[in-house]
Amino acid sequence: MRWLEVISPGLLTTVQDKGRCGFAHMGVPASGPMDMIAFRLANAVVGNGPECAALELTALGGRYRVMGGECIVCLGGAVEAQAEGRVLEPWVGHRLAQGSELVVGRIQRGLRAYLTFAGGIATQPVLGSRATLSRASLGGLNGRALAKGDRLPLAEQTDIGRRRCLHAHLTTLYTSGPLSVVMGPQQEAFTEASLLTFLQGRYRVSAHADRMGYRMVGPALAHVYGADMVSDAVVPGSIQIPGNGQPIIALHDRQTTGGYPKIATLIGADLPRVGQLRPGQSVAFRAVTVPEGVARWQRLQKGIAACLQHIQSTEVSWL
C-alpha cells in the first residue's frame, strides 16, 4: 500500500474529487475543485479521470514524503516544486521514488493549484465522494484540511508513460475582462440605480474569502424592499446582496439555500477564474443572456476536450 506522508500541509490543503452531486436537497453542497480546469487537466496528465481525488493547494503547497512505493505526480497550476534534487515543471508527469520528499512552494499566479497522483487518493468516500467539506466534517481525510503527520492512502497506479499539457493550450481556457453574469433571479429586488452600479462599478475580493464564498467590497447596492426574503436555492455563482449592500459570491462549499436577494448569477465558464482570485484583486461584472452563458460553457468544454486529446497523444521521456 502506497501513501503520502504530510510533513507540512501548507496553508490550506484539502482532498477534492469532481464533487458530491445529488444531495443539495438535503443541504449538502457538491464541494469539489474551485478550478475544475486545472483539476481535470492535471488529473489527465497522470492518466486519471475527474472522479479521481487529488490535493487542492491554497497559496502555499507544503512538504510531503512518498512512502510504500514510487508514484507518478503532476502539479496543475503556476507553482514551484522540487523533489530528488530537481525542479518539477508544472503540467508534466514526474515519477518519484519511495522515500522522496516533495516540496511545493508558493503559488505564483492565482490562488490554487492541484497535486494529482496516478490512480488518485484512496480515502474513504462519503456519500459517494472523497471531496472535503470541512464545515460539515465530510469526506477527504477525517473531513478536514490536511495536518502535519497525516497519511494519505494512494490507489494503485498504471504506468502510462510520461506526459505533459502544454501552456499554449491552457491559456485559451481562461477568459479576461469582466466576469459574465446572468441577471437575477431577484434583480427586481434592487433599485435601477443599483443594477447600473453593479454592472458599471468594480468590486474587490475581501479578506473574507474561502471555499464557501467570496465577500466583495465596492459600491453599495440598495434594496427596494429590504435585504430579507424567504430562503430559496443558492447555486455556485449566486451573487447575494445582504443588508450592507456588498455582494457575496457563493462558491463550492456554500449553503444550499439563503435568505438574501440574488442580483445575478455567474456563468459556469467563469467559476474556475473566480476560484483563482486572491484577496485584494478587483473585478467587474457584465450581463449576458442565458444562451450566451450556455454557449460559453460549451466552448469551454470543447477547449478542455482538445487539451485532453493533446495530453493523450503527447509523450516525453522520463528524466
Side-chain angles (χ1 to χ4, degrees):
M1 180 68 178
R2 298 176 307 125
W3 73 90
L4 191 73
E5 180 182 347
V6 180
I7 301 171
S8 172
L11 291 181
L12 177 67
T13 302
T14 60
V15 175
Q16 299 294 338
D17 60 13
K18 66 178 181 179
R20 185 174 288 105
C21 300
F23 298 95
H25 66 292
M26 299 171 64
V28 181
S31 298
M34 292 282 277
D35 180 353
M36 65 91 174
I37 298 173
F39 171 83
R40 283 194 64 184
L41 296 181
N43 252 331
V45 167
V46 295
N48 295 343
E51 73 284 354
C52 290
L55 293 184
E56 181 176 86
L57 315 173
T58 306
L60 182 66
R63 191 180 187 106
Y64 310 92
R65 182 180 291 114
V66 176
M67 300 298 291
E70 67 176 24
C71 71
I72 300 171
V73 304
C74 176
L75 287 152
V79 60
E80 303 170 335
Q82 293 184 349
E84 301 174 351
R86 57 191 169 96
V87 174
L88 302 188
E89 181 184 355
W91 306 110
V92 177
H94 301 277
R95 190 194 299 273
L96 301 183
Q98 175 179 317
S100 298
E101 285 194 12
L102 170 62
V103 181
V104 185
R106 66 181 182 88
I107 296 171
Q108 299 169 309
R109 186 174 61 253
L111 184 62
R112 294 178 170 89
Y114 296 86
L115 178 57
T116 61
F117 305 85
I121 295 170
T123 53
Q124 185 65 35
V126 177
L127 298 178
S129 170
R130 295 182 170 91
T132 305
L133 178 62
S134 57
R135 65 188 181 88
S137 298
L138 290 180
L141 187 67
N142 302 320
R144 56 167 172 77
L146 297 191
K148 180 179 179 180
D150 282 343
R151 291 187 171 190
L152 282 172
L154 301 177
E156 292 300 316
Q157 67 180 17
T158 300
D159 190 346
I160 44 84
R162 192 172 188 232
R163 307 194 295 182
R164 70 167 67 239
C165 181
L166 296 180
H167 290 276
H169 294 268
L170 284 166
T171 56
T172 63
L173 301 180
Y174 295 89
T175 61
S176 58
L179 296 170
S180 295
V181 299
V182 174
M183 297 304 292
Q186 285 103 30
Q187 70 266 36
E188 71 281 355
F190 302 91
T191 65
E192 289 295 327
S194 288
L195 295 176
L196 289 174
T197 296
F198 174 72
L199 294 173
Q200 294 176 357
R202 292 193 69 85
Y203 289 87
R204 175 173 50 84
V205 180
S206 77
H208 302 287
D210 56 23
R211 287 182 49 87
M212 185 174 180
Y214 280 10
R215 290 183 178 269
M216 312 296 286
V217 178
L221 305 174
H223 302 83
V224 175
Y225 306 112
D228 296 323
M229 56 171 278
V230 176
S231 292
D232 69 356
V234 174
V235 301
S238 289
I239 303 178
Q240 299 175 292
I241 311 296
N244 65 2
Q246 300 296 310
I248 302 172
I249 303 177
L251 294 170
H252 296 63
D253 289 358
R254 77 208 178 278
Q255 74 279 12
T256 58
T257 62
Y260 296 132
K262 296 173 284 294
I263 195 170
T265 306
L266 278 166
I267 67 170
D270 274 351
L271 278 172
R273 182 177 156 200
V274 171
Q276 292 290 2
L277 292 176
R278 289 175 174 264
Q281 284 188 265
S282 67
V283 296
F285 300 99
R286 67 176 175 186
V288 298
T289 65
V290 171
E292 288 172 331
V294 171
R296 278 277 310 280
W297 178 258
Q298 292 171 335
R299 287 198 298 272
L300 174 60
Q301 296 307 308
K302 288 181 180 178
I304 292 173
C307 282
L308 292 173
Q309 181 61 41
H310 175 82
I311 291 169
Q312 292 168 0
S313 63
T314 301
E315 296 192 2
V316 293
S317 299
W318 293 108
L319 292 177

